[in-house]
Amino acid sequence: KPEISESSLSRKMLNVHIEKHAKCYWNKCYFCGINKKYHFENDTTKDKYFNNNLESLLPNLKGIEYIWFIDEAITVSKLKKIATFFIEKKIHIYWQARCRITPELLNEETIKLLASSGLKELRLGLEYASITVLNSMNKFEKDFSLELVEDICQKYQKNGISIHFPMIIGFPGETDADRRMTYYFLQSMNRK
């Protein structure tokens, strides 16, 4: 079962850890300690219970307007399951979640599905806009590009979904040029 708690910000908002026994599925970033706080191994056999976890949300939704899925990173396929669940159950709610930057996010049908289900914000850990620093972090696959980030932002914004990028400044080995590149990229994205 998911962990569900009322938000301290509003009684109309729920914090939901939909897969409380799932760590970040990437788990390769050199800097990251997120998965170290969990004292269990990922159990992918629990994936088959994902729809049951969604069903168990139903009794908790009376009067709720917003859900913040607090899982570390939800796969695109599971984001689609959440969206489909809300649409099929005729649940009119706004929600946000965290996911990894991946080309799968650019699928037009996926974007439309997520938008029509009430997704309002997607948090994607970009961390930096210097490919050199990203490579030293082991943040992405080798074919990653900032153009992918720009495309995701453009398409999601166009469909009413805000994109939020957690960033890291002061990463060991970064240069002033790396830092300026990151600031410039974020300013450029903001202007666009």
Coordinates of all heavy atoms in Angstrom, one line a residue, residues 30-31 126-140 142 144 168-182:
Y30 N 26.8 9.5 -9.3 CA 27.9 9.4 -8.4 C 27.6 10.2 -7.1 O 28.1 9.9 -6.0 CB 29.2 9.8 -9.0 CG 29.6 8.9 -10.1 CD1 30.3 9.4 -11.2 CD2 29.4 7.5 -10.1 CE1 30.7 8.6 -12.3 CE2 29.9 6.7 -11.1 CZ 30.5 7.3 -12.2 OH 30.9 6.5 -13.2
F31 N 27.0 11.3 -7.2 CA 26.8 12.3 -6.1 C 25.6 11.9 -5.2 O 25.5 12.4 -4.1 CB 26.6 13.7 -6.6 CG 25.3 13.9 -7.4 CD1 24.1 14.2 -6.7 CD2 25.2 13.7 -8.7 CE1 22.9 14.3 -7.4 CE2 24.1 13.8 -9.4 CZ 22.9 14.2 -8.8
L126 N 17.7 17.8 -13.6 CA 18.8 18.2 -14.6 C 20.1 18.4 -13.9 O 21.1 17.9 -14.4 CB 18.4 19.5 -15.3 CG 19.4 20.1 -16.3 CD1 19.7 19.1 -17.4 CD2 18.8 21.4 -16.9
E127 N 20.1 19.0 -12.8 CA 21.3 19.2 -12.0 C 22.3 20.3 -12.5 O 22.8 21.1 -11.8 CB 22.1 17.9 -11.6 CG 21.3 16.7 -11.3 CD 20.2 16.8 -10.2 OE1 20.1 17.9 -9.6 OE2 19.5 15.9 -10.0
Y128 N 22.6 20.2 -13.8 CA 23.6 21.0 -14.4 C 23.4 21.1 -15.9 O 22.8 20.3 -16.5 CB 25.0 20.4 -14.1 CG 26.0 21.4 -13.5 CD1 26.1 21.5 -12.2 CD2 26.8 22.2 -14.4 CE1 26.9 22.4 -11.6 CE2 27.6 23.1 -13.8 CZ 27.7 23.2 -12.4 OH 28.6 24.1 -11.9
A129 N 23.9 22.2 -16.5 CA 23.8 22.3 -18.0 C 25.2 22.2 -18.7 O 25.3 22.6 -19.8 CB 23.2 23.7 -18.3
S130 N 26.2 21.7 -18.0 CA 27.5 21.5 -18.6 C 27.6 20.0 -18.8 O 27.5 19.2 -17.8 CB 28.6 21.9 -17.6 OG 29.8 21.3 -18.0
I131 N 27.7 19.6 -20.0 CA 27.8 18.1 -20.3 C 29.1 17.5 -19.6 O 29.0 16.4 -19.1 CB 27.9 17.9 -21.9 CG1 26.6 18.4 -22.5 CG2 28.1 16.4 -22.2 CD1 25.3 17.7 -22.1
T132 N 30.1 18.3 -19.5 CA 31.3 17.8 -18.8 C 31.0 17.5 -17.3 O 31.3 16.4 -16.9 CB 32.4 18.9 -18.8 OG1 32.7 19.2 -20.2 CG2 33.7 18.4 -18.1
V133 N 30.3 18.4 -16.7 CA 29.9 18.1 -15.3 C 28.9 16.9 -15.2 O 29.0 16.1 -14.3 CB 29.4 19.4 -14.6 CG1 28.9 19.1 -13.2 CG2 30.5 20.4 -14.5
L134 N 27.9 16.9 -16.1 CA 26.9 15.9 -16.1 C 27.6 14.5 -16.3 O 27.2 13.5 -15.6 CB 25.9 16.1 -17.2 CG 24.9 17.2 -16.9 CD1 24.0 17.5 -18.1 CD2 24.1 17.0 -15.7
N135 N 28.6 14.5 -17.2 CA 29.3 13.2 -17.4 C 30.1 12.8 -16.1 O 30.1 11.6 -15.7 CB 30.3 13.3 -18.6 CG 29.5 13.3 -19.9 OD1 28.4 12.8 -20.0 ND2 30.2 13.7 -20.9
S136 N 30.7 13.8 -15.4 CA 31.4 13.5 -14.2 C 30.5 13.0 -13.1 O 30.9 12.3 -12.1 CB 32.3 14.6 -13.7 OG 31.5 15.7 -13.2
M137 N 29.2 13.4 -13.2 CA 28.2 13.0 -12.2 C 27.6 11.6 -12.6 O 26.9 11.0 -11.7 CB 27.0 13.9 -12.2 CG 27.2 15.3 -11.7 SD 25.7 16.3 -11.9 CE 26.1 17.7 -10.9
N138 N 27.8 11.1 -13.8 CA 27.1 9.9 -14.3 C 25.6 10.1 -14.3 O 24.9 9.2 -13.9 CB 27.6 8.7 -13.6 CG 27.3 7.4 -14.4 OD1 27.3 7.4 -15.6 ND2 26.9 6.4 -13.7
K139 N 25.2 11.3 -14.7 CA 23.8 11.7 -14.5 C 22.9 11.0 -15.6 O 21.7 10.7 -15.3 CB 23.7 13.2 -14.6 CG 22.3 13.7 -14.4 CD 21.7 13.4 -13.0 CE 20.3 13.8 -12.9 NZ 19.6 13.3 -11.8
F140 N 23.4 10.9 -16.8 CA 22.6 10.5 -17.9 C 23.3 9.5 -18.8 O 24.5 9.3 -18.7 CB 22.1 11.7 -18.8 CG 21.3 12.7 -18.1 CD1 21.8 13.9 -17.7 CD2 20.0 12.4 -17.8 CE1 21.1 14.9 -17.1 CE2 19.2 13.3 -17.1 CZ 19.8 14.6 -16.7
K142 N 25.1 8.3 -22.3 CA 26.0 9.1 -23.1 C 25.5 9.9 -24.2 O 26.0 10.9 -24.7 CB 27.1 8.1 -23.6 CG 28.0 7.5 -22.5 CD 28.7 8.5 -21.7 CE 29.5 7.9 -20.6 NZ 29.7 8.8 -19.5
F144 N 22.8 11.8 -24.1 CA 22.0 12.9 -23.6 C 22.4 14.2 -24.2 O 23.6 14.4 -24.5 CB 22.2 13.0 -22.1 CG 21.6 14.2 -21.5 CD1 20.2 14.2 -21.2 CD2 22.3 15.3 -21.2 CE1 19.6 15.4 -20.7 CE2 21.8 16.5 -20.7 CZ 20.4 16.5 -20.4
I168 N 22.2 21.7 -9.0 CA 23.3 21.6 -8.1 C 24.4 22.6 -8.5 O 24.8 22.6 -9.7 CB 24.0 20.2 -8.0 CG1 23.0 19.2 -7.5 CG2 25.2 20.2 -7.2 CD1 23.5 17.7 -7.6
I169 N 24.7 23.5 -7.6 CA 25.8 24.5 -7.9 C 26.9 24.2 -6.9 O 26.6 24.1 -5.7 CB 25.3 25.9 -7.8 CG1 24.2 26.2 -8.9 CG2 26.4 26.9 -8.0 CD1 24.6 26.0 -10.3
G170 N 28.1 24.2 -7.3 CA 29.2 23.9 -6.4 C 29.7 22.5 -6.4 O 30.3 22.0 -5.5
F171 N 29.4 21.8 -7.5 CA 29.8 20.4 -7.7 C 31.3 20.3 -7.7 O 31.9 21.1 -8.5 CB 29.1 19.8 -8.9 CG 29.3 18.3 -9.0 CD1 28.5 17.4 -8.1 CD2 30.2 17.7 -9.8 CE1 28.6 16.1 -8.2 CE2 30.3 16.3 -9.9 CZ 29.5 15.5 -9.0
P172 N 31.9 19.4 -7.0 CA 33.4 19.2 -7.1 C 33.9 19.1 -8.5 O 33.4 18.3 -9.3 CB 33.6 17.9 -6.3 CG 32.5 17.8 -5.4 CD 31.3 18.4 -6.2
G173 N 34.8 19.9 -8.9 CA 35.4 19.9 -10.2 C 34.8 20.9 -11.2 O 35.3 21.1 -12.3
E174 N 33.7 21.5 -10.8 CA 33.1 22.5 -11.7 C 34.0 23.7 -11.9 O 34.8 24.0 -11.0 CB 31.7 22.9 -11.3 CG 31.7 24.0 -10.2 CD 30.4 24.5 -9.7 OE1 29.4 23.8 -10.0 OE2 30.3 25.5 -9.1
T175 N 33.9 24.3 -13.0 CA 34.7 25.5 -13.3 C 33.7 26.7 -13.3 O 32.5 26.5 -13.4 CB 35.4 25.5 -14.6 OG1 34.4 25.4 -15.7 CG2 36.3 24.2 -14.7
D176 N 34.3 27.9 -13.3 CA 33.4 29.1 -13.5 C 32.7 29.0 -14.8 O 31.5 29.4 -14.9 CB 34.2 30.4 -13.4 CG 34.7 30.7 -12.0 OD1 34.2 30.2 -11.0 OD2 35.7 31.5 -11.9
A177 N 33.3 28.5 -15.8 CA 32.7 28.4 -17.1 C 31.5 27.4 -17.1 O 30.4 27.7 -17.7 CB 33.7 28.0 -18.2
D178 N 31.7 26.3 -16.4 CA 30.6 25.4 -16.2 C 29.4 26.0 -15.5 O 28.2 25.9 -15.9 CB 31.0 24.2 -15.4 CG 32.0 23.3 -16.0 OD1 31.9 23.1 -17.3 OD2 32.9 22.8 -15.3
R179 N 29.7 26.7 -14.5 CA 28.6 27.4 -13.7 C 27.9 28.5 -14.6 O 26.7 28.5 -14.6 CB 29.2 28.0 -12.4 CG 28.2 28.4 -11.4 CD 28.8 28.7 -10.0 NE 30.1 29.3 -10.0 CZ 31.2 28.6 -9.7 NH1 31.2 27.3 -9.4 NH2 32.4 29.2 -9.7
R180 N 28.7 29.3 -15.3 CA 28.1 30.3 -16.2 C 27.2 29.6 -17.3 O 26.2 30.1 -17.6 CB 29.2 31.2 -16.8 CG 29.7 32.3 -15.9 CD 30.5 33.3 -16.6 NE 31.7 32.7 -17.3 CZ 32.9 32.5 -16.7 NH1 33.0 32.8 -15.4 NH2 33.8 32.0 -17.4
M181 N 27.7 28.5 -17.8 CA 27.0 27.8 -18.8 C 25.6 27.4 -18.2 O 24.6 27.5 -18.9 CB 27.8 26.6 -19.3 CG 27.2 25.8 -20.4 SD 28.1 24.3 -20.8 CE 29.8 25.0 -21.0
T182 N 25.6 26.9 -17.0 CA 24.3 26.5 -16.4 C 23.4 27.6 -16.2 O 22.2 27.6 -16.5 CB 24.6 25.8 -15.0 OG1 25.4 24.6 -15.3 CG2 23.4 25.4 -14.3

